Amino acid sequence: DTTLLKRGGAEGLEFARREAGHFLKAGGVENLDWLEKAKEIHRAFIERKLTAGGVADLLAATLFVEDIELHS
């Protein structure tokens, strides 16, 4: 995502790639503690002032729809 590159430079982009890779290698959303791990990554992004721009918006919308489905 070019927003990652703009906000965090090459270091921020590499951090995002590395964290995403670790998340997926650990099983992604199939892992029982996926939500906690995703929150940890989210907090780390905030600390570094990183955002994935449109990808982040898509993820937020997906989680919103999931929450509606689970609580309807």
Side-chain angles (χ1 to χ4, degrees), residues 1-60:
D1 191 303
T2 56
T3 307
L4 279 169
L5 191 56
K6 180 180 178 186
R7 287 187 175 218
E11 183 179 317
L13 181 60
E14 179 54 34
F15 170 79
R17 287 179 175 165
R18 186 175 56 248
E19 289 301 307
H22 292 319
F23 182 81
L24 293 173
K25 192 177 247 185
V29 298
E30 298 295 321
N31 191 316
L32 293 177
D33 67 345
W34 76 269
L35 185 56
E36 186 55 40
K37 183 58 182 167
K39 288 178 182 180
E40 289 174 20
I41 295 169
H42 173 71
R43 287 188 290 270
F45 268 54
I46 290 172
E47 289 174 15
R48 291 167 176 78
K49 296 180 176 44
L50 296 174
T51 179
V55 174
D57 294 340
L58 181 58
L59 176 60

